[in-house]
Amino acid sequence: MATRIRRTLYIGLGGTGMNAILHAKKLIYDTFGEIPPMIGFLGIDTDGGVYNKTLTARDGTAISLKVSEQLPITVDAPALIYSNSPSNYDWMPDCNIGSLSALSLGAGQIRSNGRFAITMHEEDVADRIMGAIRSINNATIINNTDYALLSDATEVHVVFSLSGGTGAGTFLNIAYLLQRVLQNENAKISGYVSSAPCRKAPACVACVQTRSAR
């Protein structure tokens, strides 16, 4: 009998968001014994390094976010970019202009740095999100008798923290971006915010799928 499941894309913003979707990926793997083809993950961060954390599933499998599931939104010479066109970033607080350093090792806990990074990469992010959505939707074309869809909608879950610079600085832009790129899609968007480290947060994100398998 086929397991009923939802088409789902999990998006993690910043370090906390990426940690959360990694835990969600592990919980989903533990539930289904694999990652179903109609479930996708995308981690977005201002840290230019590869996110290489791993978790161990119940069966001993190492769970990680593949490079294709990561999108660095680094910016070289952001101060120079700002000085050339300051009117394009009139939302930037004057007190934070001096904090615009190379955005390749994170946002430095400064929200305006995170927003600057997402502003510079908006179309890259839009393309990756739509690519992930297409991959998830096309997966149902595969002759796979293990799964059946609960609905025709694709669910998008975004998780981030208000405590840092990347997640807190990008989530509003991401929300409007999702609204724009998914306006012609049958999609449901949900957000999860953490204001402090929470051991239950990953479970909250993954419960959407694991409840469906029960």
Side-chain angles (χ1 to χ4, degrees), residues 43-191:
I44 300 171
D45 201 2
T46 51
D47 189 336
V50 175
Y51 179 88
N52 55 14
K53 291 184 180 179
T54 61
L55 298 173
T56 303
R58 290 174 188 161
D59 64 3
T61 299
I63 305 297
S64 62
L65 295 179
K66 295 183 257 184
V67 173
S68 61
E69 297 171 332
Q70 303 179 38
L71 176 59
I73 52 170
T74 57
V75 181
D76 293 326
L80 178 60
I81 294 171
Y82 175 85
S83 65
N84 287 337
S85 304
S87 61
N88 291 341
Y89 315 100
D90 55 5
W91 45 262
M92 177 73 69
D94 291 341
C95 60
N96 286 356
I97 295 173
S99 299
L100 274 174
S101 56
L103 294 173
S104 59
L105 297 174
Q109 305 291 307
I110 299 172
R111 297 177 184 180
S112 56
N113 282 356
R115 187 175 183 188
F116 190 91
I118 190 66
T119 299
M120 297 299 300
H121 286 277
E122 184 170 323
E123 292 310 313
D124 295 334
V125 174
D127 289 344
R128 286 291 296 275
I129 289 173
M130 288 309 301
I133 292 291
R134 284 192 294 268
S135 178
I136 290 167
N137 290 345
N138 290 340
T140 58
I141 299 174
I142 301 172
N143 183 20
N144 191 331
T145 59
D146 293 333
Y147 303 102
L149 292 176
L150 278 167
S151 73
D152 292 330
T154 300
E155 298 191 357
V156 180
H157 298 278
V158 184
V159 58
F160 59 94
S161 169
L162 288 179
S163 301
T166 301
T170 60
F171 78 92
L172 281 177
N173 289 60
I174 288 289
Y176 283 108
L177 186 151
L178 287 170
Q179 184 183 50
R180 172 170 63 86
V181 301
L182 299 178
Q183 61 181 329
N184 296 321
E185 301 286 334
N186 184 5
K188 176 183 177 182
I189 304 169
S190 301

Side-chain angles (χ1 to χ4, degrees), residues 1-6 31-39 139-150 209 212-213:
M1 180 177 174
T3 300
R4 293 169 64 80
I5 198 170
R6 296 177 175 89
T31 299
F32 297 103
E34 64 176 351
I35 302 299
M38 58 284 298
I39 296 179
T140 58
I141 299 174
I142 301 172
N143 183 20
N144 191 331
T145 59
D146 293 333
Y147 303 102
L149 292 176
L150 278 167
Q209 291 294 349
S212 302

